[in-house]
């Protein structure tokens, strides 16, 4: 899906033939393999909850479980000198409010361990959609930026038909 919507960018990628949910050792083995064979320097993990063994969520400290997974991902990224994008979901938020760090689901470790947190928010109110262009307003929030410190909002348009975000000048 990402490759189909990459536009004119010349993307080189490696994708596993199968995914194995809830298995960090398997995931890191694939990342090391891709780094060695193809020289990858970026990984996208979609999404955090596929890495969490559900049987461990019963009765334990879920926040610490999420934290340990996120810390291990960051450790491996630093060891390999690669960037890892980890998709994490938000809690249900008021539709009139742009989500913030506290709205990330399940654990504050999700943003505490991250160097950068980007939150994309779009309003899904039918009254705000231009039916001719199928566009709706969206915002990319730079909610955390450990290295540069710059935070802020970037206005976007979301094209529902193309499932793409575009910058607004």
């Amino acid at each position: 899906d990402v490759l189909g919507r990459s536009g004119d960018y010349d993307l080189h990628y490696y994708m596993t033939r199968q995914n194995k949910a809830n298995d960090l050792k398997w995931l890191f083995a694939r990342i090391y393999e891709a780094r060695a064979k193809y020289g990858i320097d970026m990984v996208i993990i979609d999404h955090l909850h596929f890495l969490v063994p559900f049987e461990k969520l019963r009765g334990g400290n879920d926040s610490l479980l999420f934290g340990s997974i996120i810390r291990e991902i960051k450790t491996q990224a630093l060891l390999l000198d690669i960037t890892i994008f980890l998709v994490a979901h938000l809690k249900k938020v008021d539709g009139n409010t742009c989500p913030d760090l506290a709205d990330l689901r399940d654990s504050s470790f999700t943003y505490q361990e991250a160097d950068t947190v980007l939150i994309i928010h779009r309003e899904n109110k039918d009254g705000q959609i231009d039916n001719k262009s199928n566009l709706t307003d969206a915002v990319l929030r730079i909610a955390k930026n450990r290295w540069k410190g710059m935070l802020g909002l970037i206005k976007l348009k979301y094209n529902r038909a193309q499932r793409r975000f575009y910058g607004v000048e």
Side-chain angles (χ1 to χ4, degrees), residues 1-167:
D1 191 36
V2 170
L3 296 174
R5 294 186 280 143
S6 64
D8 297 330
Y9 299 106
D10 185 20
L11 294 179
H12 301 277
Y13 68 95
Y14 165 80
M15 187 178 296
T16 59
R17 291 179 194 213
Q18 292 181 322
N19 291 327
K20 190 170 181 183
N22 309 329
D23 190 340
L24 281 178
K25 287 183 182 180
W26 178 88
L27 174 66
F28 295 138
R30 299 296 72 76
I31 292 172
Y32 273 78
E33 177 184 17
R35 180 77 167 156
K37 288 182 178 179
Y38 307 108
I40 62 144
D41 53 11
M42 180 181 75
V43 172
I44 301 170
I45 301 172
D46 185 10
H47 63 84
L48 171 61
H49 286 81
F50 283 126
L51 302 176
V52 179
F54 286 110
E55 64 275 1
K56 291 187 178 182
L57 289 176
R58 297 187 185 125
N61 188 331
D62 297 350
S63 182
L64 291 177
L65 176 60
F66 280 93
S68 68
I69 290 169
I70 292 165
R71 182 161 291 167
E72 187 59 31
I73 290 169
K74 183 169 184 176
T75 299
Q76 295 300 319
L78 292 171
L79 286 172
L80 286 169
D81 191 29
I82 61 173
T83 299
I84 296 182
F85 288 91
L86 176 61
V87 177
H89 290 274
L90 298 169
K91 301 176 201 172
K92 297 266 185 210
V93 295
D94 178 8
N96 297 323
T97 308
C98 189
D100 203 354
L101 294 173
D103 296 313
L104 288 167
R105 207 174 115 194
D106 293 317
S107 176
S108 62
F109 284 108
T110 306
Y111 64 84
Q112 288 172 356
E113 291 293 328
D115 292 329
T116 304
V117 178
L118 305 173
I119 299 173
I120 295 179
H121 171 69
R122 61 188 166 96
E123 294 189 17
N124 291 318
K125 296 180 181 177
D126 290 334
Q128 297 181 346
I129 297 172
D130 177 349
N131 289 322
K132 291 180 183 173
S133 63
N134 207 22
L135 295 177
T136 187
D137 291 328
V139 173
L140 172 66
R141 178 183 212 140
I142 304 167
K144 181 177 180 181
N145 186 343
R146 181 171 286 161
W147 302 115
K148 299 285 184 182
M150 297 180 331
L151 305 177
L153 302 173
I154 299 170
K155 292 181 180 182
L156 304 171
K157 288 285 187 186
Y158 180 71
N159 185 313
R160 294 176 124 193
Q162 296 177 347
R163 295 173 40 205
R164 289 186 76 157
F165 290 93
Y166 296 92

